[in-house]
Amino acid sequence: MKINFAEPALLIRPGNFIQENHYYHKVVNAQISPLVLFFLNMDIERIIERYCHLNPRVDSEGLTRLLTYRPNHIQWSGTDLFHVTTANGKRQMVVIETNSSPSGQKSMPLLFDQEEMGGYQRLIETSFLPLVKEKRVVSGHYAVIYDKNEMEASGYAAALAQITGEDVYLASFYDGDPNPSVRFVDEIMEVRDKDGHWFPIKAAIRYVTQTPWNRIPVKSKTLIYNPIIACLAGGRNKRMAAKAYDFYNGDLKNYGLKINTPETIKDVKLNEIPLWVDRFGGHAVIKNPYSNAGQGVYTITCKQELDYFMSLSHPYEDFIVQSLIGNYHWSTQGSDGLYYHVGMVPNKKKEIYVADLRFMIASTPSGYRPIAMYARRAEKPLTTNLDPLEDSWQILGTNLSIKMIDGWASETGRLKLVDQKDFNQLGLSLDSLIEGYIQSVLSTIAIDKLAAELVNTKKQLRRKLFMAINGDPILMNEIIT
């Protein structure tokens, strides 16, 4: 997608949803996996019964309360999960990241052929519009704002127009745009059309992902789905997300539950990183805590990769360092033991690839529900013996997004659908999907609860508390008021 600065908001009228414009080509004719369809049609009671049967120490009543939780801030999310195991065969789904502007719809096969708007329609009808109905919103129009993933953003706009029968504005909102088509006046979002006229927005779906806090305020009279506090509390802030998981895991102990994550060291200064990498046995993952789409993530498996990272210039002062999940022979031996990738089913060349699972959930009147799923495999197969000259990111990195000079591109050749062709290659079971769903809900609730602590009764950011938890002055200076 090429960035076009200063472009006006487009008016999307009802009756303009065209499948080919909002789904990847390989998705349009894909048939969903029967197992995935079965999972998506399971009711909460059956999911809880199955999970508690396999995890008898889990409090079923407590799990019921969590799966019917109603959030205040983060209404939808996309959780990236790794399927990992130990040498003793203990498998689990591990949360790598929780995203507050998640992709997924354009990669999700239709559940039923006659429902051409698929997950776009499910999210809008079961989550977005019920939220609008229960909140007091200002007068104005609907809008979808974005800074990447135009295919999906425009899909939401077309579906929203079709479902409501109202015109919807689709507006780009790029970081660094000198004349954007989105602004805030007296805490109300406005968008500019091709004639230069500005229109108030009552409710907007936000797909603004790149440092969105530097142009969207925390407090807004326009209903924003999701609000910026969801990003600052962990949806676009890996540092805060790690702390949110730690805080909430203390509560989850009472239910016999836990958010599974790699071992994470937070608030690490640049000059401390070699010490922590050495503490992890030379195998680690270093992350810029505010990056996304696979940017600012570095897998370290040898001295050359660490030296390369240390030679780079970095926009922020603090980092997080995590244990590395790789092959059994070169994963981090952490406090909870050694976990390594289960990986995909071996291909005809006996190659096993790393893959993740993106799990999108959305809040409904009855709790968080799964909306879409897809998987992504790494570029090169997992090896038993790692060559020091090999780029470990090509073996372990699964993100498809590539940042170009003039926008974003996507390596869709590594996209794996949850359809009849691809899903069986992933090696996931029904119980893997159930655990992935529960892990996604728990991690999202953790961020929502921290978000609630970070705003006061006037819906403004509690800046002193935020700085105490996330003491990065560079980030604080980026947050607009």
Side-chain angles (χ1 to χ4, degrees), residues 69-100:
Y69 175 88
R70 297 298 310 282
N72 291 313
H73 302 285
I74 185 163
Q75 303 295 329
W76 66 319
S77 70
T79 305
D80 295 338
L81 302 150
F82 280 156
H83 188 202
V84 307
T85 186
T86 66
N88 294 325
K90 178 188 176 183
R91 295 191 181 190
Q92 62 184 30
M93 301 297 285
V94 170
V95 173
I96 302 302
E97 182 176 324
T98 304
N99 194 312
S100 55

Side-chain angles (χ1 to χ4, degrees), residues 101-154:
S101 291
S103 66
Q105 305 294 6
K106 65 181 182 292
S107 307
M108 181 67 182
L110 300 179
L111 304 190
F112 306 102
D113 290 341
Q114 66 273 21
E115 297 180 356
E116 68 169 8
M117 294 190 292
Y120 293 104
Q121 182 173 351
R122 288 197 303 279
L123 183 137
I124 289 169
E125 288 186 339
T126 66
S127 184
F128 177 70
L129 289 179
L131 181 67
V132 173
K133 186 176 180 179
E134 74 178 41
K135 299 290 185 181
R136 294 175 58 187
V137 296
V138 298
S139 299
H141 301 267
Y142 288 114
V144 177
I145 61 174
Y146 70 96
D147 66 352
K148 69 186 292 277
N149 198 357
E150 185 176 1
M151 178 185 287
E152 211 154 304
S154 61

Side-chain angles (χ1 to χ4, degrees), residues 7 18 26 29 46 48 80 110 121 141 153 167 247 261-262 279 362 370 392 395 409 411 416 430 448 468:
E7 60 184 7
I18 301 173
K26 65 186 294 186
N29 296 314
R46 294 174 72 194
I48 293 170
D80 295 338
L110 300 179
Q121 182 173 351
H141 301 267
D167 294 342
F247 294 151
T261 65
R279 148 76 167 76
S392 62
I395 298 172
E411 294 183 339
K416 294 297 177 182
L430 176 64
D448 186 73

Side-chain angles (χ1 to χ4, degrees), residues 160-175:
L160 182 57
Q162 181 76 9
I163 293 165
T164 61
E166 299 182 29
D167 294 342
V168 175
Y169 283 99
L170 175 65
S172 63
F173 199 15
Y174 301 115
D175 188 16

Side-chain angles (χ1 to χ4, degrees), residues 44-292:
I44 290 299
E45 290 76 16
R46 294 174 72 194
I47 288 175
I48 293 170
E49 184 65 28
R50 176 64 178 175
Y51 189 77
C52 291
H53 169 70
L54 295 178
N55 301 273
R57 295 180 179 177
V58 172
D59 179 352
S60 62
E61 292 184 2
L63 182 57
T64 300
R65 286 194 291 273
L66 295 173
L67 295 185
T68 56
Y69 175 88
R70 297 298 310 282
N72 291 313
H73 302 285
I74 185 163
Q75 303 295 329
W76 66 319
S77 70
T79 305
D80 295 338
L81 302 150
F82 280 156
H83 188 202
V84 307
T85 186
T86 66
N88 294 325
K90 178 188 176 183
R91 295 191 181 190
Q92 62 184 30
M93 301 297 285
V94 170
V95 173
I96 302 302
E97 182 176 324
T98 304
N99 194 312
S100 55
S101 291
S103 66
Q105 305 294 6
K106 65 181 182 292
S107 307
M108 181 67 182
L110 300 179
L111 304 190
F112 306 102
D113 290 341
Q114 66 273 21
E115 297 180 356
E116 68 169 8
M117 294 190 292
Y120 293 104
Q121 182 173 351
R122 288 197 303 279
L123 183 137
I124 289 169
E125 288 186 339
T126 66
S127 184
F128 177 70
L129 289 179
L131 181 67
V132 173
K133 186 176 180 179
E134 74 178 41
K135 299 290 185 181
R136 294 175 58 187
V137 296
V138 298
S139 299
H141 301 267
Y142 288 114
V144 177
I145 61 174
Y146 70 96
D147 66 352
K148 69 186 292 277
N149 198 357
E150 185 176 1
M151 178 185 287
E152 211 154 304
S154 61
Y156 284 120
L160 182 57
Q162 181 76 9
I163 293 165
T164 61
E166 299 182 29
D167 294 342
V168 175
Y169 283 99
L170 175 65
S172 63
F173 199 15
Y174 301 115
D175 188 16
D177 190 340
N179 187 26
S181 59
V182 181
R183 70 182 184 186
F184 285 82
V185 178
D186 295 330
E187 301 175 357
I188 296 175
M189 181 190 296
E190 295 182 348
V191 299
R192 186 188 70 242
D193 70 3
K194 59 183 178 59
D195 297 318
H197 299 138
W198 290 91
F199 298 91
I201 300 302
K202 60 183 175 182
I205 296 174
R206 176 184 63 85
Y207 204 93
V208 179
T209 63
Q210 308 300 303
T211 56
W213 44 76
N214 71 9
R215 52 203 187 280
I216 301 175
V218 171
K219 185 179 181 183
S220 170
K221 293 176 183 176
T222 295
L223 188 153
I224 301 177
Y225 182 97
N226 286 315
I228 288 302
I229 194 62
C231 299
L232 293 172
R236 288 278 157 190
N237 185 336
K238 299 179 181 69
R239 183 187 193 183
M240 291 292 276
K243 295 184 178 184
Y245 303 154
D246 284 349
F247 294 151
Y248 196 44
N249 271 337
D251 295 336
L252 290 176
K253 286 181 181 179
N254 299 324
Y255 301 133
L257 292 164
K258 180 185 178 183
I259 301 169
N260 302 322
T261 65
E263 185 174 350
T264 303
I265 310 301
K266 302 169 284 291
D267 307 329
V268 180
K269 300 297 182 183
L270 182 63
N271 59 0
E272 297 177 300
I273 285 176
L275 300 176
W276 285 110
V277 172
D278 184 63
R279 148 76 167 76
F280 280 150
H283 298 146
V285 179
I286 305 168
K287 295 181 179 180
N288 166 354
Y290 319 123
S291 63
N292 62 86

Side-chain angles (χ1 to χ4, degrees), residues 10 72 184 323 348 419:
L10 300 176
N72 291 313
F184 285 82
S323 57
K348 291 181 179 179
D419 66 351

